[in-house]
């Protein structure tokens, strides 16, 4: 089929310079949600009609399988579809979606598509308690005969509760003809896509309708209030799905997933956690409160304690991380690694059983097996111009408050005395210490405060 996504509207009520369809829901532009749903239907052609906000929309969302068509000026939904007609294949139906309606499921769209088989037109409709503002579905003897916009409706039509969601599928050859016959003689002076219904009926084309599985699937975003409402609906759905998969959530209302979160069995997540991008969590993992985890992989039985930030990192099984740990991109930890509070690790590998339990910065470092990194250890990896690597071999012990000035290597089994500034390699199996020798002055008197 052909898909046309209408995304030219101006979104004035967002009170923002950013085009409405680029505002994020679950960390992803509204329009990207619609595009991703469309992709699940494997369309032959997917056109995005953009306008307001200029080239930002095609620039941000450019992809090989998308055509961006400019609608300028914006003269209504019918006029918007007209901009795409030259790209639509006549022998396949055309599905119209809205770029600001992000949560429509592909299952709902499939049920609509099924209704439209062979030269039929089908509309996705819902029945609303308060249909104010929506186009009303006018039926005669149960058959849809036209759609009347709220602003053009008479008293009787205003009483209709079945409304147009805006999503429809139509036979393309005829659609092009109906679009060419639209006029803008209506309350808004616009070319209404909805007017094709009456034209189709005149042409003897039958009109069917389908309803979404859930009403929220057709909710659009016109304001920050509606954006926040949809975000909560979406997060609620994602949390519900995790619960059904067996994940324990301390509070399903206090988790945010902005991307894809995959959890194995018996994962437990405390309140306030945010997951971004692609996160894979192994069996038996517990995640404490207020962690932010992005594009990372966590192996089985890891315990992540509260307030930990993990970004593009891999954590081996049975490790303990946090509280207040920060794992930055390129961190790869083996199994049974311990990373404690206020430890920052970047672009570094830790072998199994290694530990950095308190207050440390480890950057651009290769840490072997069973290494102990004392409190206050800092790898000085940056000389102001270039980054250099530190290597700490198996079974090394780094005393507290050590600076490792890279490039530098600590040999296997070496011990570095507390307070050392290591500027040369430390040989294996030896104690290396750089420290002013300790002296004591017997009978030394403290100064006393002078009287004025
Ligand atoms: C439209 C429908 C109405 C339906 C309602 C559902 C028409 C005439 N009316 O009304 O029956 O109940 O949606 O929300 O179709 N757009 C463009 N170019 C334009 C105008 C709009 O791309 O020139 C896009 C908007 O960005 C938006 C969508 O089309 O994504 C709908 O436009 P909007 O102005 O919200 O339509 P409504 O008047 O609410
Ligand atoms: Ca609207």
């Amino acid at each position: 089929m052909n898909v046309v996504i209408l995304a030219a509207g101006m979104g004035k009520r967002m009170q923002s310079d950013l085009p409405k369809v680029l505002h994020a829901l679950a960390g992803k532009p509204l329009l990207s949600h619609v595009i991703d749903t469309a992709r699940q239907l494997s369309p032959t052609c997917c056109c995005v009609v953009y306008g307001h906000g200029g080239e930002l929309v095609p620039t941000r969302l450019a992809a090989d399988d998308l055509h961006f068509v400019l609608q300028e000026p914006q003269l209504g939904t019918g006029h918007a579809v007209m901009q795409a007609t030259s790209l639509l294949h006549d022998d396949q139906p055309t599905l119209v979606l809205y770029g600001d309606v992000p949560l429509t499921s592909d299952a709902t769209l499939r049920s609509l598509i099924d209704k439209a088989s062979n030269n039929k037109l089908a509309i996705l409709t819902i029945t609303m308690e308060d249909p104010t503002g929506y186009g009303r579905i006018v039926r005669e003897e149960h058959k849809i005969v036209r759609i009347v916009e709220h602003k053009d409706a008479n008293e009787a039509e205003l009483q209709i509760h079945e409304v147009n969601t805006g999503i429809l599928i139509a036979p393309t050859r005829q659609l092009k003809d109906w679009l060419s016959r639209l006029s803008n003689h209506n309350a808004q002076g616009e070319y209404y896509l909805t007017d094709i219904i009456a034209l189709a009926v005149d042409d003897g084309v039958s009109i069917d309708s389908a309803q979404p599985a859930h009403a929220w699937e057709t909710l659009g975003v016109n304001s920050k209030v509606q954006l926040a409402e949809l975000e909560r609906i979406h997060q609620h759905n994602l949390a519900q799905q995790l619960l059904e998969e067996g994940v324990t959530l301390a509070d399903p209302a206090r988790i945010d997933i902005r991307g894809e979160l995959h959890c194995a069995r018996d994962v437990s997540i405390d309140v306030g956690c945010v997951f971004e991008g692609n996160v894979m969590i192994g069996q038996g993992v517990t995640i404490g409160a207020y962690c932010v985890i992005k594009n990372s992989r966590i192996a089985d039985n890891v315990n992540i304690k509260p307030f930990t930030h993990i970004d593009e990192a891999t954590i081996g099984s049975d490790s303990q991380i946090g509280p207040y740990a920060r794992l930055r991109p390129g961190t790869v930890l083996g199994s049974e690694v311990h990373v404690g509070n206020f430890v920052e690790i970047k672009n570094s590998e830790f072998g199994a059983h290694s530990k950095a339990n308190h207050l440390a910065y480890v950057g651009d470092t290769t840490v072997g097996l069973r290494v102990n990194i004392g409190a206050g250890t800092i790898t000085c990896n940056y000389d102001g111009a270039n980054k250099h690597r530190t290597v700490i071999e198996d079974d090394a012990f780094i005393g507290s408050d050590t600076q490792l000035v890279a490039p530098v290597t600590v040999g296997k089994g070496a011990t570095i005395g507390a307070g050392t500034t290591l500027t040369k390699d430390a040989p294996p199996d030896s104690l290396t210490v750089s420290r002013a020798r300790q002296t004591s002055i017997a009978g030394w008197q403290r100064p006393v405060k002078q009287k004025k």
Side-chain angles (χ1 to χ4, degrees), residues 5-11 20-21 49-51 71 73-81 96-101 131 133-137 147-152 163-168 186 188 190-195 218-222:
I5 302 173
L6 305 189
M10 100 143 159
K20 175 164 79 173
V21 291
V49 182
Y50 72 99
Q71 184 198 17
Q74 288 112 43
L75 304 177
T77 49
H79 179 255
V81 178
V96 177
L97 302 174
Y98 285 2
D100 56 1
V101 178
Y134 287 86
R136 307 301 207 280
I137 306 291
I147 295 176
V148 59
E149 290 304 300
H150 183 97
K151 288 185 179 150
D152 301 287
V163 303
N164 172 33
T165 63
I167 294 171
L168 59 79
N186 51 52
Q188 301 182 75
E190 288 183 0
Y191 295 91
Y192 292 163
L193 178 61
T194 44
D195 284 350
T218 60
L219 293 176
V221 173
N222 297 301

Side-chain angles (χ1 to χ4, degrees), residues 39-57:
R39 282 186 177 130
Q40 289 179 37
L41 305 168
S42 319
T44 334
C45 154
C46 187
C47 309
V48 177
V49 182
Y50 72 99
H52 193 77
E55 295 307 308
L56 208 52
V57 173

Side-chain angles (χ1 to χ4, degrees), residues 81-94:
V81 178
M82 273 182 233
Q83 311 310 305
T85 45
S86 65
L87 294 163
L88 306 177
H89 302 264
D90 280 349
D91 53 345
Q92 296 164 22
T94 297

Side-chain angles (χ1 to χ4, degrees), residues 231-301:
E231 178 78 41
R232 284 309 102 204
I233 290 170
H234 185 55
Q235 293 299 340
H236 170 86
N237 293 341
L238 294 175
Q240 219 58 33
Q241 203 176 309
L242 287 176
L243 292 170
E244 275 158 26
E245 287 165 16
V247 177
T248 301
L249 300 178
D251 182 355
R254 282 185 286 167
I255 177 171
D256 281 80
I257 300 161
R258 302 175 190 149
E260 286 190 38
L261 173 61
H262 302 276
C263 294
R265 285 174 90 80
D266 297 307
V267 169
S268 173
I269 302 173
D270 209 336
V271 300
C273 293
V274 178
F275 298 90
E276 295 177 43
N278 206 300
V279 177
M280 310 275 281
I281 297 181
Q283 186 160 345
V285 169
T286 57
I287 299 176
Y290 302 103
C291 291
V292 179
I293 303 179
K294 182 176 178 184
N295 291 323
S296 292
R297 190 179 273 268
I298 298 169
D300 296 349
N301 301 315

Side-chain angles (χ1 to χ4, degrees), residues 92-149:
Q92 296 164 22
T94 297
L95 174 69
V96 177
L97 302 174
Y98 285 2
D100 56 1
V101 178
L103 298 183
T104 320
S105 71
D106 62 316
T108 287
L109 293 178
R110 280 178 214 281
S111 75
L112 178 73
I113 294 160
D114 289 346
K115 292 281 173 82
S117 57
N118 289 337
N119 298 336
K120 267 208 275 179
L121 198 156
I123 315 167
L124 194 68
T125 74
I126 48 168
T127 301
M128 294 180 98
E129 195 129 2
D130 177 12
T132 307
Y134 287 86
R136 307 301 207 280
I137 306 291
V138 182
R139 290 178 184 262
E140 281 170 12
E141 289 160 7
H142 305 296
K143 286 204 177 97
I144 297 175
V145 291
R146 60 197 161 86
I147 295 176
V148 59
E149 290 304 300

